[in-house]
Amino acid sequence: MHQMAHYQGTHRPSRHLTRRSFLAAGAGLAATSLSACPGASDAETAAPRPDLTRPTSLDDAAWAHVRAQFILEPGTAYMNNASLGMPPASVAEAVAAGYDALSREPLRGKTELGRTIAGRVVPGLASLFGAEPAEIVLTRNATEALHMGAVGVRLQPGDEVLMTTQEHPAGSRPWDYRATHHGVKVRKVFIPSPFETAEEVVQLVEEAFTPATRVIAFCHVTRGGHLYPVQQLCALARERGVISHVDGAQAVGMFPVDLHDLGCDTYSASLHKWMLGPMGTGVFYVRAGARGRVDSAFAFDATSDAPAYQPPGTTGLPVQAALSASLDFIETVGIDNVAARTRRLSDYLKARLAEMPGVTLLSGPTPATSCPGSTIFELEGVDAVEAVTLIAERAGIHIDEHQRDGHNAIRISTHVYNTTAEIDRVTEALDRLRSTPS
Ligand SMILES: Cc1ncc(COP(=O)(O)O)c(C=O)c1O
């Protein structure tokens, strides 16, 4: 069973399955959906995918074989990874193969997929994120995990939760829920966008603590790409006996994350963004030492020894098991290498934007304040939401807006699959848009 290789716990990246070999393997269901996809005939005639290896420099040429792992339609450039990552072909194939296995022999398929999740996916994620397997559970996304954390923290009416003005609704709404239903007080600390230094953020949060503060909730990386000093903020919380609840949706998969080192109590992340996992995957972490203060959102009979954080019921096993292919991909390329390459690309983008009249760059000024992959900026006279549509229509380039934090900003998020040529293309398209906005 060629296409089941991912489910045996191997770290080896999968070989390319052409449409023909997929059909030969009898994957009828997947083949039907593949043939319905535009570009399926391109895939049939395309050259075999090269082996994935760790690139040895940061230049485009050294990443060409990485780019070749993706099946994006020719002519389209995808720079909206912060919204939804574009999985490599191996991940799409692993999802299809998982459903295929379930359809052929449901009982065996379920057992094999469950084995992959328990034996490869959870330990692999724990190892990548510097945690113990027992400290993490899989979720459908970061939003679900953030909610599980927020409703799980033991709080009394009048207890205070500090969050920042830069939270994503996925991070703030669960606390609004607790305010409405449980009398918890939510206070928002204003953080400027961009901020100049990490110390500025630490100081603003430190000054906002009161004797009633029980939780601080903040992003590792905000939706707009601002990088927070997580370790220092968690240390502030720990010194005061306060729970630290971190939103890592925009962090994991973009650069190395070591949860024990960060010292947070809970951490929630999407795996379908920078980890390039299949859509509908996320993770929830509770530090083992924090189990006595964070209840399961579901199980009435959970204990600190058996915390039962796992969302109950039937889950998308093929989707979760296909995270093994995302792990293979990230491990082979190297997470440090992913960070360096994405930083190289966004530095290049920033340099191109700096040459363009009418651009105000809104990303943090240093690597300590801005993440490697996302860049935000305003373009004089251009509405960001309209710009996103026009750039897609006119140039076939997918970007996003960031009309938050007081900005009318455009967000460009670049992952390892992007190239400097695509960045030239988007900056040229933006320049044309500036001169002919409608
Ligand atoms: C900072 C942040 N937190 C949470 C989320 C929600 O992620 P998901 O849709 O995977 O739940 C997002 C999504 O863009 C985000 O940017």
Side-chain angles (χ1 to χ4, degrees), residues 352-360 378-380 430-431 434-435:
R352 291 301 314 264
L353 291 171
E355 294 163 359
M356 204 190 292
V359 168
T360 307
E378 286 178 344
L379 198 52
E380 198 178 0
L430 287 165
D431 207 24
R434 199 177 47 79
S435 41

Side-chain angles (χ1 to χ4, degrees), residues 5 24 56 91-92 124 136 195 200 202 234 268 277 284 350 401 418 432:
T56 49
V91 172
I136 66 168
F195 49 84
E200 195 182 333
V202 174
C234 292
S268 302
F284 178 52
K350 285 170 187 159
E401 48 75 28
N418 292 120
R432 280 196 299 277

Side-chain angles (χ1 to χ4, degrees), residues 13 16 24 53 74 119 142 147 175 265 274 285 300 304-305 308 347-348 357 369 377 386 393 421 424:
H16 179 38
T53 55
H147 191 86
W175 298 111
D265 292 310
W274 299 92
Y285 159 87
F300 68 91
S304 305
D305 290 336
D347 281 351
Y348 182 77
T369 54
F377 56 95
E386 281 174 21
E393 281 171 9
D424 290 342

Side-chain angles (χ1 to χ4, degrees), residues 356-374:
M356 204 190 292
V359 168
T360 307
L361 185 66
L362 296 162
S363 295
T366 65
T369 54
S370 74
C371 74
S374 291

Side-chain angles (χ1 to χ4, degrees), residues 82-83 140-144 146 166-168 170-171 219 221-223 247-250 269-273 281 411:
S83 175
R140 290 176 303 153
N141 48 50
T143 307
E144 185 176 46
L146 286 160
Q166 296 182 352
E167 299 317 302
H168 189 278
C219 288
V221 171
T222 67
R223 186 188 180 280
D247 174 356
Q250 295 291 352
S270 322
L271 299 173
H272 47 220
K273 294 184 190 284
T281 51
R411 180 182 71 182

Side-chain angles (χ1 to χ4, degrees), residues 49-131:
R49 234 169 31 232
D51 280 346
L52 182 65
T53 55
R54 184 185 161 94
T56 49
S57 94
L58 296 180
D59 297 336
D60 283 344
W63 289 76
H65 73 290
V66 177
R67 166 65 181 227
Q69 308 299 317
F70 295 84
I71 52 176
L72 182 68
E73 280 179 26
T76 302
Y78 190 72
M79 299 188 180
N80 191 14
N81 183 87
S83 175
L84 184 66
M86 183 171 76
S90 58
V91 172
E93 289 161 1
V95 173
Y99 278 105
D100 183 60
L102 274 185
S103 306
R104 281 175 191 287
E105 219 287 32
L107 195 59
R108 191 177 61 224
K110 199 172 148 185
T111 308
E112 283 177 357
L113 293 169
R115 209 176 282 146
T116 300
I117 294 165
R120 165 67 175 133
V121 173
V122 171
L125 291 171
S127 158
L128 185 64
F129 302 155

